[in-house]
Amino acid sequence: MKRIGRGWAVRAARDVLTGVAALALLLALPFAPRPILRAARTLGRVRQPDPGDLRVIAWLAAHGVLGPGTLLVIGSMLSMIGVIWRVYTPYPSKNLTVAFTLSILAITLLSVLTAYTSVRVQDYLALVLLGETPEARRIRELTASRAAAVDAQAAELRRIERDLHDGAQARLIAMRMNLGLARKSTDPAQTRELVEEAWHSAAQALDDLRGLVRGIHPPVLADRGLTGAIQAAAMLCPVPVELDIDLPGRPEAPVESALYFAAAEALSNVAAHSQATRAWVRLRYPGDRIRLTVGDDGRGGADSSAGTGLLGIERRLSAFDGTLTVTSPLGGPTELTMELPCALSSRKISHSSETA
Amino acid sequence: MRVVIAEDLALLRDGLIRLLSTHGFEVVEAVDNGPMLLAALLKHRPDVAVVDVRLPPTQTDEGLRIALEARRRVPGLPVLILSQYVEQLYAHELLSDRSGGVGYLLKDRVGDVEQFVDSVRTVAAGGTAMDAEVIAQLLTRRGRDEPLAALTPREREVLGLMAEGLSNHAIAARLVVTEKAIGKHTSSIFAKLGLPPSDDQNRRVLAVLAYLES
């Protein structure tokens, strides 16, 4: 009776233990796929992992040791449970049962912890060793901003071509036509009328060309640099603009142009949307970058995702690693801060490695 | 009337010489760069200079800078600046010494011969001739002309034409009213801008300045 009773207890306890072990494995299971999935994803993004990449090799090594190592440790812990179970005790006591039960629980807990820790460590290793390096991120950013710059330039050229075609070119054709007719005309009144028309066409052609050139590179920017050009733009703004410009030299022409157009766009936004009574432009060069701030006391609520104006500024600046920060709470004031890393009065742009 | 011309494009320089000569001006010198312009202005002290804003060697606003420099040395030296573009900034700088005798016109205006010659004469006489484009740009800045708030719309219109260099007679013709009515408007403008009675040409310059500075 006694032996039968013990045999039943043993079987029952073994079943319970198997259940606990299975539970432990089940609990550990959700952690396992994460590093594997992440590694797969990262490798997928890298697309062509360089076989010589030390980081990948290091990850493979760490993974090769850590994966089986963890399984080994957990396996041996589970067999410890089996060993404890098989210990022969001629005089089973309550204390001994409690001690064994506790140690089995402790080992189970330890297994779970080991599994968990191992999963976290692998997770971290995959992130560090297979994740995007700062250089890779920089390359991705530069690729994107270069593509945007090329697109913008192509769009600009198309616009210029279209403007010339529909504007000055068409006017010159009309002019030539009128003058051609005038040459052959025998009626003085008609000749006069044709010449008059040609005269007006010439004026309009000049007007068109002037507008076009202003959009390409405003002459005042070439003449007076950023300081003078912003001054000139402020003079045309319907809202009074306070200027506070301190620029010890001239940046490179493309940078100058990008900043000028950004400032002009910001000022025309102020005029069109802000309902402001005053605006301000601040320009500083705190060492390695130009900081341009355009603000107004208007109604606020400017949002770079809403209008194309702010997006355009952002695109212009991003080609030079520049950034746009918009603070515009409802009720105002609005402030646009544009930062662009650059050198002054020298033909070199210092590309900061900071995140753009 | 003795005139100095500065224009770097030969085609336009010859055109200007021909245009001004046929209208009774004596072209004492025509130059094609900034340094020579300054020398010519100081040597001849012409009745008026017609200057392209963009001149060698810098090909930027050399003409304007030389003109301002010459006016610093010879106060009130009449200068008419020609440009492919007008900039408020440059108009301001030209007027900033408050002595008048300045003009700032788009090159296109040469095509309207009579009016261009009138502008040259206005400048030579110590008046101002601002391009209609300068005035048009000012009109887009509604709401910031506090000093001019007291003026009626009609008075502003008259002031704009005054800035273009038109005489009361010409303004009257443009607005299709009598010269006497324009006279009333101008004295009202001078009074509202707080310009004390003095020589009319000078008050016109100051009124135009107030207009541009608004």
Side-chain angles (χ1 to χ4, degrees), chain A residues 199 203 206-207 209-211 213-214 218-220 222-224 228-229 231-241, chain B residues 54 59-61 64-65 84-90 92-93 106 108 111-112 133 137 140-144 146:
Chain A
W199 187 78
L206 281 169
D207 241 21
L209 286 173
R210 194 161 37 239
V213 170
R214 202 183 274 281
V220 67
D223 292 353
R224 298 291 176 90
Q231 240 176 316
M235 279 182 161
L236 292 179
C237 187
V239 180
V241 184
Chain B
R54 184 170 289 195
Q59 290 291 3
T60 59
D61 55 348
L64 176 70
R65 286 169 192 274
Q84 300 275 22
Y85 319 90
V86 291
E87 282 295 343
Q88 297 291 325
L89 187 64
Y90 297 172
H92 263 253
E93 289 176 355
L106 279 176
D108 316 13
D112 196 339
E133 184 90 10
Q137 284 180 359
T140 63
R141 314 187 311 176
R142 274 182 302 274
R144 64 181 284 190
E146 295 89 5

Side-chain angles (χ1 to χ4, degrees), chain A residues 317-340:
Chain A
L317 296 178
S318 74
F320 300 94
D321 245 0
T323 55
L324 168 71
T325 319
V326 182
T327 45
S328 183
L330 279 177
T334 299
E335 226 175 33
L336 271 57
T337 306
M338 295 156 255
E339 283 205 329
L340 209 154

Side-chain angles (χ1 to χ4, degrees), chain B residues 23-211:
Chain B
H23 284 83
F25 290 87
E26 180 199 345
V27 180
V28 288
E29 195 170 345
V31 300
D32 64 358
N33 66 70
M36 276 174 76
L37 170 64
L38 187 60
L41 289 178
L42 296 178
K43 180 177 148 207
H44 300 293
R45 305 227 168 173
D47 297 316
V48 63
V50 178
V51 175
D52 179 13
V53 73
R54 184 170 289 195
L55 287 177
T58 59
Q59 290 291 3
T60 59
D61 55 348
E62 184 91 11
L64 176 70
R65 286 169 192 274
I66 298 289
L68 292 173
E69 171 66 24
R71 279 169 66 85
R72 261 192 295 277
R73 300 208 205 165
V74 186
L77 180 77
V79 178
L80 174 65
I81 299 284
L82 291 180
S83 173
Q84 300 275 22
Y85 319 90
V86 291
E87 282 295 343
Q88 297 291 325
L89 187 64
Y90 297 172
H92 263 253
E93 289 176 355
L94 277 168
L95 283 163
S96 60
D97 63 7
R98 297 176 176 262
S99 54
V102 289
Y104 185 34
L105 295 180
L106 279 176
K107 274 190 182 169
D108 316 13
R109 308 299 177 207
V110 179
D112 196 339
V113 178
E114 303 304 321
Q115 207 180 323
F116 175 69
V117 171
D118 275 351
S119 298
V120 179
R121 293 215 170 92
T122 305
V123 172
T128 58
M130 289 295 128
D131 197 275
E133 184 90 10
V134 176
I135 311 301
Q137 284 180 359
L138 287 175
L139 291 180
T140 63
R141 314 187 311 176
R142 274 182 302 274
R144 64 181 284 190
D145 35 16
E146 295 89 5
L148 302 183
L151 299 190
T152 64
R154 187 61 154 186
E155 284 165 356
R156 276 182 219 201
E157 202 177 351
V158 171
L159 186 51
L161 293 171
M162 223 195 275
E164 287 184 39
L166 269 59
S167 64
N168 282 4
H169 180 75
I171 295 173
R174 184 79 68 89
L175 297 180
V176 204
V177 292
T178 61
E179 201 174 331
K180 207 172 141 203
I182 297 301
K184 265 191 204 150
H185 284 310
T186 52
S187 21
S188 166
I189 291 167
F190 295 151
K192 284 178 178 172
L193 294 179
L195 301 172
S198 69
D199 121 62
D200 190 56
Q201 191 66 271
N202 187 37
R203 280 206 295 182
R204 288 176 96 87
V205 171
L206 293 178
V208 169
L209 197 58
Y211 186 65

Side-chain angles (χ1 to χ4, degrees), chain A residues 24 28 73-74 77-78 81 106-116:
Chain A
V73 169
I74 292 176
M77 282 182 176
L78 289 180
I81 294 176
I107 289 172
T108 310
L109 196 69
L110 219 62
S111 311
V112 173
L113 273 177
T114 310
Y116 177 75

Side-chain angles (χ1 to χ4, degrees), chain A residues 59-72 122:
Chain A
W59 178 78
L60 279 175
H63 196 59
V65 172
L66 216 66
T70 310
L71 284 180
L72 210 68
Q122 294 206 42

Side-chain angles (χ1 to χ4, degrees), chain A residues 14-65:
Chain A
R14 191 184 291 159
D15 287 349
V16 168
L17 261 180
T18 317
V20 168
L23 196 67
L25 279 174
L26 267 176
L27 282 175
L29 214 60
F31 298 106
R34 257 177 61 199
I36 295 168
L37 276 180
R38 178 169 298 175
R41 256 205 315 275
T42 317
L43 281 171
R45 191 160 60 221
V46 170
R47 257 177 238 143
Q48 278 184 307
D50 183 358
D53 192 340
L54 284 174
R55 280 158 31 100
V56 174
I57 292 173
W59 178 78
L60 279 175
H63 196 59
V65 172

